[in-house]
Amino acid sequence: MKTVATRFAPSPTGPLHIGGVRTALFNWLYSKNKGGKFYLRIEDTDKERSKEEFKDQIINSLKWIGINYEDGEYIQSKKIDDHIYVANELLKKGLAYKCYCSSDEIEEQKKRAKQKKIPYIYNRKWRDKSETDYPKEINPVIRFKSKIEGKSILKDLVQGKIEIENNTIEDFVILRADGSPTYNLSASVDDHLMGMTHIIRGDDHKINTFKQIQIYEAMNWEVPCFAHIPLIHTIDGKKLSKRDNASTLDDFSSIGIMPNALRNYLLRLGWSYKDKEIFDLNESIKYFNLEGIGKSPSKLDISRIYSMNEYYIKNINEDDLFKFLKTYCETSKEKIPDSAQKKIKNSLHFLKNKAKTLEDIYKNSQFLIDDKFQIKKEDKKLLDKTAINIIKLFIDDINKISDFNRKTLEPIIDNLIKSNNTNFKGVGQPLRICLTGSRFGPGIYDILCSLGKEEVYKRLSQIG
RNA sequence: GGUCCCUUCGUCUAUCGGUUAGGACACAUGGUUUUCAUCCAUGAAAGAGGGGUUCGAUUCCCCUAGGGACCGCCA
């Protein structure tokens, strides 16, 4: 058995969206599961639309979510000579031919087909012409001689058998009038040269596969296995596209979604293994297979992304969580000051219980960093005379204790509740407001203990 | 319009001819609680429709309907 080799081959003509990332993930997981290799190929042969920034964005996205690839990026535009060479080989073998139709002529035919409501297919006008007929003044395109008769069968690893009449596949262009190769040529040549064994891609490529297989066969190359995965749809059931609002990984990371959570979500979108929902990295490699991929498109559901993220926040170890938080703050908020790092890390055990996202942790941890908060008007109203009095009594009480922890604080607060004839809220609410600037947030004891005696004293003394 | 593909709770899905059709998210209700949450319990919620095959179909086949993808000298 050959070593499994897969690739992800995006074109840098727009930002990579979450659907593309899932395709990359499936390829990566498949190769890892088989002990194989995974490559990244940048398909940048469209010079006009390819942008360096998109290439960088693709690379960074894969890096962020933890998909690594062999040997750096394979840049397709650097291999154009190989593609042209193959085109000429096909020409020599008589398996491709020069077509002298002008673009206008082709456009005209398409238009007419549309008017008559009949399917357009190139009429193979130059397929069997001899060289003596060639006009001198036009640069020809090279077309592949597609099979005209019979059927082709694709044994797709996800979709099963797909049958198609050969005459529905036209003589497609492999070399443009300017001599540059087109997608179907470049992709097959590269996949062959890179030794790809399995091509896993969106099912929008199904028809291309029938074209590409013909190129393989014409060149006597071994045909790889194909697996066409259903596309991800938007909530209104349309294919995720580079234009209109298709979410990128940046969109998710900037609201505090963690890469491992998104990876898990993406894995389970259109793939399943029994009833299992949570897959850590090793498990996802261990269990991933092509059989588990469903045949129907699936819709992106943001609430599941949140809940997956929440699960990871609550269940990964706090060292890792803190690393994610640190990175998140640096890239999307502001760097956590050195002086606050330890405090926040030590507070994660309660901060994480209130968080769905890293942003939630960030927000709820602000009181640890910043004591110059503004108390909201409606909160200030709650700080009436009795409340202020309770706070003063509390200050006196904590000055009497040397150890400052839950055990020593509980009796103090209990006493205050009794002596002021109030309930926990009557004491807790004013304290929380004065210490954090908000009615909402962590538990009172968590706030007190994480700030420490001195800071609590300092903040409370300013009130009144 | 042509070709190809798809169809189980709102969403992601389990089931590989026999199940009270299961789980997760979301939702609703109740409980715990120290605000906001968490957590726990409970509930509502699905086989597109019609034919076959079969002792028995969500599962296999056909038709219909609905949805999607592709139909570039883009990738």
Side-chain angles (χ1 to χ4, degrees):
Chain A
M1 265 297 255
K2 247 169 125 181
T3 311
V4 165
T6 64
R7 80 329 189 249
F8 177 55
S11 65
T13 53
L16 178 62
H17 60 68
I18 191 164
V21 175
R22 188 185 66 142
T23 305
L25 179 68
F26 282 14
N27 274 285
W28 183 76
L29 249 20
Y30 186 74
S31 74
K32 294 288 155 201
N33 174 270
K34 299 286 182 195
K37 308 234 178 211
F38 170 77
Y39 300 86
L40 173 64
R41 182 169 78 224
I42 304 290
E43 304 212 323
D44 60 342
T45 52
D46 184 339
K47 285 168 220 128
E48 312 248 303
R49 293 195 300 154
S50 292
K51 297 258 159 57
E52 195 70 11
E53 57 171 300
F54 294 136
K55 187 184 109 187
D56 294 342
Q57 189 264 356
I58 290 166
I59 292 171
N60 289 335
S61 295
L62 296 183
K63 201 173 180 181
W64 182 78
I65 204 157
I67 296 176
N68 51 352
Y69 42 88
E70 313 279 335
D71 307 340
E73 304 82 40
Y74 183 108
I75 305 296
Q76 189 165 57
S77 59
K78 291 184 183 164
K79 306 286 179 178
I80 282 180
D81 290 346
D82 296 340
H83 312 156
I84 295 173
Y85 172 80
V86 171
N88 286 323
E89 284 298 298
L90 290 169
L91 211 48
K92 267 191 227 163
K93 291 185 183 190
L95 297 167
Y97 61 96
K98 293 176 179 173
C99 162
Y100 287 87
C101 293
S102 67
S103 324
D104 290 348
E105 196 176 339
I106 300 281
E107 283 309 310
E108 186 57 34
Q109 284 171 22
K110 280 187 195 167
K111 223 168 145 186
R112 244 181 290 157
K114 207 167 187 180
Q115 274 170 1
K116 286 189 194 163
K117 291 200 169 178
I118 52 169
Y120 167 77
I121 184 160
Y122 170 68
N123 61 13
R124 308 187 182 97
K125 183 175 165 187
W126 292 87
R127 184 168 166 126
D128 299 310
K129 292 241 159 84
S130 69
E131 211 157 312
T132 48
D133 299 325
Y134 290 169
K136 293 232 163 52
E137 62 284 2
I138 304 176
N139 281 334
V141 301
I142 310 293
R143 283 181 188 271
F144 182 83
K145 267 191 196 170
S146 279
K147 290 180 189 161
I148 297 178
E149 286 174 354
K151 288 177 182 178
S152 291
I153 295 171
L154 168 64
K155 283 183 191 153
D156 192 280
L157 265 24
V158 168
Q159 313 267 345
K161 260 191 196 170
I162 304 170
E163 252 185 54
I164 197 169
E165 296 283 342
N166 286 328
N167 62 18
T168 60
I169 294 180
E170 68 170 357
D171 287 352
F172 54 97
V173 173
I174 53 176
L175 235 47
R176 299 185 186 95
D178 67 2
S180 64
T182 62
Y183 166 73
N184 280 304
L185 208 224
S186 297
S188 355
V189 174
D190 282 346
D191 283 334
H192 172 254
L193 259 26
M194 291 168 77
M196 293 300 108
T197 60
H198 296 259
I199 310 242
I200 304 167
R201 66 206 331 184
D203 72 9
D204 49 344
H205 280 290
K206 255 186 295 191
I207 299 297
N208 288 327
T209 302
F210 287 96
K211 298 178 180 174
Q212 292 171 204
I213 287 176
Q214 292 200 54
I215 295 179
Y216 282 94
E217 287 173 345
M219 292 301 291
N220 279 316
W221 292 339
E222 193 180 334
V223 180
C225 299
F226 290 91
H228 289 93
I229 63 179
L231 301 172
I232 296 180
H233 281 179
T234 62
I235 210 72
D236 20 71
K238 294 277 185 281
K239 149 182 173 180
L240 235 46
S241 84
K242 285 180 183 173
R243 358 195 152 102
D244 61 49
N245 69 13
S247 317
T248 62
L249 294 197
D250 290 348
D251 295 334
F252 292 105
S253 88
S254 70
I255 56 173
I257 302 295
M258 301 194 292
N260 46 2
L262 196 59
R263 190 213 71 236
N264 198 148
Y265 170 78
L266 251 21
L267 172 65
R268 280 287 288 100
L269 187 63
W271 178 85
S272 64
Y273 180 81
K274 300 182 181 167
D275 273 344
K276 195 169 163 58
E277 298 285 348
I278 305 298
F279 295 82
D280 67 30
L281 194 60
N282 289 331
E283 287 174 324
S284 56
I285 291 169
K286 186 174 162 196
Y287 293 120
F288 186 77
N289 57 24
L290 264 18
E291 294 78 53
I293 300 177
K295 287 186 171 189
S296 52
S298 27
K299 292 176 186 166
L300 209 59
D301 181 1
I302 185 73
S303 76
R304 298 204 65 194
I305 298 180
Y306 277 114
S307 95
M308 188 63 80
N309 200 55
E310 183 177 14
Y311 178 88
Y312 272 83
I313 283 183
K314 296 203 164 88
N315 291 285
I316 62 174
N317 75 58
E318 282 168 18
D319 285 347
D320 289 342
L321 180 58
F322 187 65
K323 275 181 210 153
F324 285 128
L325 179 70
K326 240 171 102 174
T327 314
Y328 168 73
C329 289
E330 272 162 37
T331 52
S332 299
K333 300 288 177 188
E334 62 266 343
K335 195 173 176 288
I336 303 172
D338 291 343
S339 55
Q341 297 224 2
K342 207 173 169 188
K343 246 190 220 171
I344 290 181
K345 193 172 178 181
N346 291 335
S347 304
L348 283 178
H349 69 275
F350 66 84
L351 289 171
K352 69 182 181 186
N353 282 329
K354 294 174 183 296
K356 276 187 157 55
T357 64
L358 294 173
E359 186 173 30
D360 293 340
I361 298 184
Y362 164 82
K363 279 185 186 158
N364 274 326
S365 68
Q366 281 313 290
F367 80 94
L368 288 165
I369 300 171
D370 183 15
D371 62 352
K372 289 174 194 62
F373 41 77
Q374 286 282 318
I375 297 173
K376 281 188 196 130
K377 262 190 187 165
E378 67 248 48
D379 291 343
K380 221 162 196 170
K381 275 185 211 155
L382 292 170
L383 296 177
D384 55 14
K385 259 191 186 164
T386 33
I388 302 258
N389 188 42
I390 286 172
I391 290 197
K392 279 185 178 153
L393 292 168
F394 182 77
I395 296 173
D396 294 341
D397 286 342
I398 63 170
N399 276 331
K400 290 176 201 152
I401 57 170
S402 50
D403 285 344
F404 193 82
N405 54 43
R406 185 165 185 143
K407 238 183 186 169
T408 56
L409 288 166
E410 258 174 12
I412 293 176
I413 289 184
D414 287 347
N415 269 331
L416 282 174
I417 294 170
K418 275 181 210 148
S419 60
N420 287 277
N421 199 21
T422 179
N423 54 17
F424 193 96
K425 210 174 165 183
V427 178
Q429 201 74 291
L431 277 177
R432 181 180 287 108
I433 292 170
C434 296
L435 291 169
T436 72
S438 170
R439 260 183 305 159
F440 312 116
I444 292 302
Y445 292 111
D446 289 330
I447 294 172
L448 291 169
C449 296
S450 60
L451 283 172
K453 186 175 171 180
E454 271 177 50
E455 185 65 22
V456 168
Y457 180 79
K458 198 181 117 199
R459 289 189 188 188
L460 293 181
S461 307
Q462 290 165 354
I463 308 292

